[in-house]
Amino acid sequence: MQRGAIFTINSPTNAEKLFVQIDSFYPSSKTCPRCLHKFEDLILAMRQWICPHCGQHNQRDYAAALNIKRQGIMQLKAGGHTALRQ
């Protein structure tokens, strides 16, 4: 698969769904979802961290989920698609 690819998936419950491939090297865990500051010193053992830029308390997995969602919506919009839910 190529980076940033958007695929159409047919499923029995919905006629079509879009699948967005996010770059595997995108720093989703290291990026603060509030200010988008990239926290380079984050190590795998740190499950929570405080952004040195804005002071936001982040849980690693939750921050990654928000950042992956944001990145997917940006790629959809760049591809000319409409993002209905944010």
Side-chain angles (χ1 to χ4, degrees):
M1 277 187 223
Q2 56 182 309
R3 288 186 187 164
I6 300 173
F7 301 94
T8 301
I9 300 174
N10 292 321
S11 70
T13 56
N14 294 331
E16 290 184 351
K17 290 186 178 187
L18 294 176
F19 171 79
V20 180
Q21 175 85 22
I22 305 295
D23 185 3
S24 59
F25 294 105
Y26 175 68
S28 60
S29 296
K30 294 182 175 188
T31 304
C32 175
R34 178 190 280 176
C35 71
L36 304 180
H37 174 77
K38 187 176 171 186
F39 184 42
E40 295 288 347
D41 297 332
L42 186 67
I43 59 173
L44 192 56
M46 293 174 66
R47 305 309 300 167
Q48 299 180 28
W49 56 280
I50 296 175
C51 178
H53 187 259
C54 72
Q56 167 79 18
H57 178 263
N58 294 300
Q59 294 181 358
R60 182 186 191 104
D61 295 338
Y62 186 69
L66 292 175
N67 289 324
I68 289 169
K69 181 180 179 180
R70 178 185 294 118
Q71 187 69 15
I73 289 170
M74 286 175 34
Q75 288 184 22
L76 284 172
K77 287 182 177 180
H81 297 281
T82 303
L84 299 177
R85 286 181 265 175
Q86 295 194 14

